[in-house]
Amino acid sequence: MTIRNVRDHGQRYRPRMACLKKLEAVVLEMQDPKTGVKSQTQRLVITTIPHAITGEDIVEWIANRFKVGAAGNMSVFLLLLLITTSLIPFLLQTPYFWPAQQWPVEDTDYAIYLAKRNIRKKGMLELHEQEQYNNLHKWMNHKWDFIVMQAKEQYRAGKERKKPDRVVFDCQERAYWVVHRPPPGTISGMDYGLERLVDPNLEEKQSSDHYRRIIIFTQQCIMRPRVKSSVSIGALVKYSTTYKQHDPFLYPCLPSNPWLTDDVTYWQLNMQNIENPTKMRVERWTFSFGELLSDPRGRDDFRLFLKKEFSGENLAFWEACEDLKWGTAATMKEKAQQIYKTFLARGAPRWINIDGKTMEITVKGLSHPHRYVLDAAQTHIYMLMKKDSYGRYLKSPVFKETQKKAVVPEPHNFSDSQLEQNAKKRRPSLSPIILRQQEEEQKAKLAASGPVDITQVMSKLAQKKGTEHRT
Amino acid sequence: MNRWKRSVGEIQARRRQVSECEQAQAALSKVTACFQQIATCIGSNTDGSSLREELEDTRALAYRICTGMHRRLLGLLAETEQVQEDREQVERMWVLFLCALENFQQNLRKVSVLQESFPLGQRRDRRALVNSGATGGGSEVAGRAATVQMPWVTAEGEQKPDLKIHIQEIDDLLQEMLQRVNIPLWSVESTQDAWAEVCKELQEEDTLDDLMEVEVVSQDGKASGCCSHSNCRLGCIFCLLN
């Protein structure tokens, strides 16, 4: 009756889960009485808690167990053990709360936990907990009586246990929920990367299929074309030097990286249809023709330039081919025919200039149109634009104007409290439906503003000449 | 006589049944909460055959309450002549019973997996148990569960099924319940407002936060405070609680 999410947050083969499984094994080793970490009894104000382990001991034990040097791969464990030289005690969580278990984390349980905490803390929950509570109360209203009843009963059942056990249990439960429902602004410990289709911890059976796969893999490795390392390294170096200032990992992006400061000015300044792009963006267009075309604002600028030069049909043809390549299969035939009529046929309104051989191949292919039938022509036109128009564009007044008007935003300098404010004000961006509608509107506007129709222009010129002659 | 007029006896009997079901709901909550508390001990150093036995007993009790309640609720819902406020109450109980069953089934699944990963058959398996810092078992909690009194629990002595079969049975039961009775879940409103449980619960004199202050045994005169908070004398792990 509870709607189960299709997305499996049980994290079967995600990289995080593989690490956690290994960690579980390590933890089990850690508490072996003979070879494990030495534990001691932790004194609290009123009670004592056994089996506490200090951070130092854990680090020492791990160093011995995995034979890592002192300065070795401690970075992984530093994430877990925040202060390595401290005497702060740690406890191992009971397996009920271990994240490597495959069951999903339910909102019902979280609601029960929040209600229990509410009772214990007499209503003093943290801000994000309060928000979650109100949310859950709204969405789980039909279950709410059950949730409150269960929370009360769990609270009373918990009271039956001895005081130190209660303390321990509460700690562990709290840790569990901090991991699975992290407070805003913190990094979630359960964030995982790409999904994996195969469980990396499984031992693969040595069957004939397995060997066949390995054979094919190694054969392909041998057959791969090889490039001298000096050449490939040279290419990498060139790429790095060109793009390094544009990499947000290496250089700060102006005004500020939204992922770090939760401030979305950067994205707003770099939107598709913005009037004045940023200087960095304009600089990117000078790197290569591909960059110019792939940036929508760059493409707009280029289109404007071509319109002034009356060679807009090249870009239009290229865009139409892209549309054909990536469009729906149902409309492909009509699109191909439309493109032929508009660009390729003799006397077409926007005739493009491609060489005879390519034209022959294309026309032949159009009798049986498929997605890539215009590939040859598209490549030809692309090369044409790249070698010819692109160079002229970079020297044109259109581009110079855009460069002059490009903005350089001031870098932000947020204080800690401002960062918190930003984190709270996080909102989802425009829905993709709205973005698509905007794109469609733009396309319609472009089509309406009218491409330069060569035949019409020619006929108009001819008419003018005619009238001039007459007068 | 008016055929919709029901006899006083009938009305009283129905009211009694409804209140019985409400008590059963409360009892089920109690037992499942205790079950969950005991389940958290599985795999830890307090685990043992006695704990698992207590777990089984609690499960059997829950099973008996569930089956009895299921039958009675079905009976209440099946009656065609319904008074309005009665119907709402019974529907609410039905939905809450569904929730309780689901929650219980989840705990059962967890227990099943945990029992498989931490079997107690052999002596050396005890070394695999995690030292989680608890000392007592769930015996006090189990005792609380055992105090539940329901009229039909002792009378109908059905045999409790095996754990896996139990999980499967609840699955089938839930399916059947959803298909058989057509009660839209969203039509049930909660009787409690948000934040209402705060005032109602009895508070204990000393809060757990005081309990959790770590005595900072300063070595070499260094006091280890973990965060910038001025009052924070707590060790880092416990600071999560504030």
Side-chain angles (χ1 to χ4, degrees):
Chain A
M1 100 168 198
T2 314
I3 298 173
R4 303 244 172 244
N5 279 332
V6 175
R7 198 86 193 284
D8 178 15
H9 290 288
Q11 299 202 13
R12 280 161 213 292
Y13 304 139
R14 315 287 155 70
R16 179 74 45 170
M17 199 45 62
C19 297
L20 284 173
K21 278 210 177 106
K22 291 180 191 167
L23 206 60
E24 258 182 43
V26 169
V27 161
L28 280 176
E29 272 188 49
M30 270 212 273
Q31 52 147 43
D32 187 308
K34 289 190 216 99
T35 59
V37 188
K38 72 175 194 298
S39 71
Q40 63 208 38
T41 314
Q42 178 60 42
R43 270 205 335 259
L44 291 194
V45 174
I46 303 173
T47 61
T48 59
I49 295 185
H51 308 139
I53 324 170
T54 59
E56 257 187 359
D57 289 336
I58 296 182
V59 170
E60 207 188 298
W61 183 84
I62 289 174
N64 282 336
R65 165 78 175 75
F66 295 109
K67 299 182 182 48
V68 240
N73 305 333
M74 288 306 204
S75 49
V76 174
F77 297 101
L78 279 176
L79 283 175
L80 298 173
L81 311 173
L82 311 159
I83 307 164
T84 59
T85 55
S86 76
L87 302 168
I88 292 171
F90 286 87
L91 273 181
L92 295 171
Q93 244 188 2
T94 174
Y96 185 80
F97 290 128
W98 282 5
Q101 311 294 3
Q102 302 293 349
W103 41 72
V105 178
E106 291 270 346
D107 276 329
T108 320
D109 292 330
Y110 190 48
I112 296 176
Y113 165 71
L114 282 179
K116 245 199 306 189
R117 199 165 154 72
N118 207 11
I119 297 172
R120 193 165 81 74
K121 288 236 164 187
K122 305 180 190 98
M124 301 290 294
L125 293 180
E126 286 184 37
L127 204 62
H128 75 273
E129 285 179 339
Q130 284 180 16
E131 275 180 29
Q132 295 268 32
Y133 182 96
N134 288 330
N135 232 5
L136 287 167
H137 176 77
K138 188 167 138 202
W139 291 111
M140 294 200 159
N141 200 276
H142 59 281
K143 283 194 189 178
W144 198 254
D145 287 342
F146 162 70
I147 287 172
V148 168
M149 223 183 339
Q150 187 73 352
K152 284 192 191 152
E153 288 302 331
Q154 281 188 8
Y155 180 69
R156 288 177 198 147
K159 275 214 259 190
E160 294 288 331
R161 301 182 72 176
K162 288 189 243 169
K163 281 233 170 80
D165 292 347
R166 273 182 76 193
V167 167
V168 164
F169 176 74
D170 278 322
C171 287
Q172 296 182 351
E173 200 181 19
R174 175 97 166 105
Y176 176 77
W177 285 113
V178 163
V179 166
H180 288 281
R181 295 277 188 269
T186 53
I187 308 166
S188 165
M190 300 304 279
D191 263 342
Y192 53 89
L194 296 171
E195 296 184 14
R196 301 181 72 160
L197 292 174
V198 178
D199 183 5
N201 285 334
L202 259 183
E203 291 295 326
E204 197 172 351
K205 275 201 299 259
Q206 310 283 348
S207 64
S208 67
D209 270 334
H210 168 70
Y211 285 120
R212 202 179 314 152
R213 239 174 9 97
I214 295 193
I215 290 173
I216 294 177
F217 178 70
T218 38
Q219 276 176 343
Q220 284 177 338
C221 284
I222 296 170
M223 282 194 308
R224 247 179 247 150
R226 282 178 278 271
V227 172
K228 259 196 191 162
S229 57
S230 56
V231 173
S232 59
I233 290 172
L236 274 174
V237 167
K238 184 161 169 230
Y239 182 86
S240 310
T241 39
T242 326
Y243 281 91
K244 73 176 173 201
Q245 296 214 318
H246 294 259
D247 190 334
F249 281 111
L250 300 176
Y251 279 74
C253 63
L254 306 169
S256 62
N257 192 332
W259 296 111
L260 295 178
T261 58
D262 292 314
D263 178 278
V264 294
T265 320
Y266 178 75
W267 288 331
Q268 284 169 346
L269 288 177
N270 281 314
M271 288 218 293
Q272 265 200 17
N273 39 13
I274 196 166
E275 182 70 32
N276 293 326
T278 57
K279 255 209 167 44
M280 296 293 276
R281 200 173 178 184
V282 175
E283 195 187 320
R284 260 190 113 124
W285 301 344
T286 63
F287 290 163
S288 82
F289 186 51
E291 284 281 345
L292 178 68
L293 277 192
S294 54
D295 188 354
R297 181 67 183 78
R299 212 192 282 186
D300 285 342
D301 225 35
F302 191 54
R303 199 180 295 124
L304 190 63
F305 164 71
L306 288 178
K307 189 166 164 187
K308 295 220 162 105
E309 293 224 327
F310 297 108
S311 49
E313 65 272 6
N314 288 335
L315 186 59
F317 176 69
W318 186 85
E319 283 187 327
C321 289
E322 285 287 293
D323 191 29
L324 181 71
K325 268 205 298 200
W326 299 105
T328 55
T331 54
M332 231 164 43
K333 262 208 198 122
E334 296 117 51
K335 271 196 203 151
Q337 288 306 322
Q338 188 66 25
I339 294 175
Y340 176 73
K341 267 202 309 212
T342 322
F343 294 103
L344 297 169
R346 254 184 294 202
R350 305 188 79 185
W351 188 75
I352 53 166
N353 196 358
I354 47 178
D355 65 305
K357 188 143 175 275
T358 321
M359 181 65 95
E360 213 184 289
I361 301 172
T362 312
V363 172
K364 220 192 316 181
L366 273 170
S367 51
H368 301 283
H370 57 92
R371 211 172 274 278
Y372 301 105
V373 65
L374 297 169
D375 232 13
Q378 189 187 6
T379 320
H380 182 95
I381 291 290
Y382 181 85
M383 284 304 166
L384 200 71
M385 286 197 287
K386 180 169 161 180
K387 292 197 178 123
D388 189 23
S389 316
Y390 181 53
R392 279 186 282 129
Y393 165 71
L394 289 178
K395 300 193 192 106
S396 71
V398 175
F399 180 64
K400 293 224 157 60
E401 185 71 31
T402 316
Q403 251 186 337
K404 213 169 41 162
K405 287 204 281 188
V407 298
V408 178
E410 286 290 321
H412 280 150
N413 202 349
F414 288 123
S415 68
D416 279 334
S417 60
Q418 277 175 317
L419 285 177
E420 271 183 35
Q421 283 284 335
N422 288 348
K424 288 199 192 110
K425 279 195 278 172
R426 275 197 288 210
R427 290 286 172 267
S429 56
L430 277 181
S431 138
I433 301 175
I434 299 180
L435 284 175
R436 184 111 176 108
Q437 279 174 354
Q438 285 179 349
E439 263 176 59
E440 305 274 319
E441 278 169 29
Q442 257 219 318
K443 263 196 227 163
K445 243 195 289 180
L446 253 181
S449 74
V452 177
D453 196 342
I454 293 221
T455 53
Q456 281 190 359
V457 168
M458 287 285 139
S459 68
K460 273 215 184 102
L461 279 177
Q463 275 178 7
K464 258 206 204 143
K465 274 209 179 125
T467 51
E468 275 176 16
H469 274 276
R470 259 187 260 133
T471 53
Chain B
M1 288 290 273
N2 194 343
R3 66 171 176 225
W4 283 286
K5 201 171 182 182
R6 296 150 83 202
S7 71
V8 173
E10 274 180 24
I11 297 177
Q12 275 185 349
R14 190 177 164 83
R15 286 226 186 100
R16 189 166 35 87
Q17 280 183 328
V18 168
S19 73
E20 242 183 30
C21 283
E22 299 241 317
Q23 284 176 15
Q25 184 83 50
L28 184 64
S29 261
K30 197 172 181 185
V31 174
T32 45
C34 296
F35 184 82
Q36 197 236 7
Q37 275 286 322
I38 305 175
T40 55
C41 295
I42 300 185
S44 70
N45 57 311
T46 52
D47 200 356
S49 49
S50 57
L51 186 101
R52 305 257 168 129
E53 253 180 53
E54 283 160 7
L55 201 66
E56 288 293 305
D57 290 335
T58 322
R59 186 168 69 82
L61 192 56
Y63 179 71
R64 292 205 285 271
I65 301 178
C66 282
T67 43
M69 191 159 163
H70 171 75
R71 227 176 292 148
R72 278 165 182 72
L73 270 180
L74 266 182
L76 280 174
L77 281 172
E79 290 178 28
T80 47
E81 300 176 15
Q82 302 289 352
V83 188
Q84 187 52 31
E85 70 277 7
D86 199 51
R87 181 85 193 172
E88 259 184 46
Q89 198 182 15
V90 176
E91 281 185 2
R92 186 181 306 124
M93 279 202 295
W94 180 259
V95 169
L96 297 183
F97 181 54
L98 267 176
C99 301
L101 272 185
E102 258 191 4
N103 198 15
F104 185 51
Q105 190 197 27
Q106 232 202 357
N107 273 322
L108 284 178
R109 283 208 179 104
K110 290 187 192 180
V111 164
S112 159
V113 170
L114 282 175
Q115 277 185 342
E116 273 173 38
S117 4
F118 292 95
L120 288 181
Q122 314 227 344
R123 194 156 169 76
R124 63 176 156 83
D125 291 328
R126 280 213 68 89
R127 272 199 281 135
L129 299 176
V130 178
N131 289 336
S132 64
T135 46
S139 38
E140 314 91 4
V141 181
R144 182 181 164 81
T147 61
V148 162
Q149 295 284 351
M150 284 309 309
W152 63 73
V153 162
T154 44
E156 305 159 7
E158 286 158 10
Q159 271 307 315
K160 73 166 177 1
D162 189 33
L163 184 59
K164 293 221 164 39
I165 301 178
H166 193 175
I167 298 177
Q168 188 56 39
E169 265 189 32
I170 296 190
D171 241 346
D172 299 332
L173 191 66
L174 283 171
Q175 280 275 24
E176 188 214 328
M177 281 171 80
L178 282 171
Q179 283 171 350
R180 202 157 160 184
V181 181
N182 187 20
I183 299 179
L185 299 170
W186 40 261
S187 63
V188 171
E189 284 181 15
S190 86
T191 52
Q192 311 238 7
D193 295 326
W195 309 98
E197 68 269 11
V198 176
C199 340
K200 291 195 181 152
E201 199 52 24
L202 295 164
Q203 301 301 334
E204 51 190 34
E205 309 82 46
D206 50 5
T207 59
L208 276 174
D209 293 335
D210 298 333
L211 284 178
M212 290 188 252
E213 273 184 25
V214 175
E215 246 187 45
V216 178
V217 180
S218 49
Q219 301 218 345
D220 311 331
K222 277 186 296 179
S224 53
C226 71
C227 45
S228 48
H229 200 65
S230 54
N231 279 345
C232 177
R233 288 175 289 122
L234 309 181
C236 206
I237 185 80
F238 297 126
C239 202
L240 282 176
L241 301 161
N242 280 332

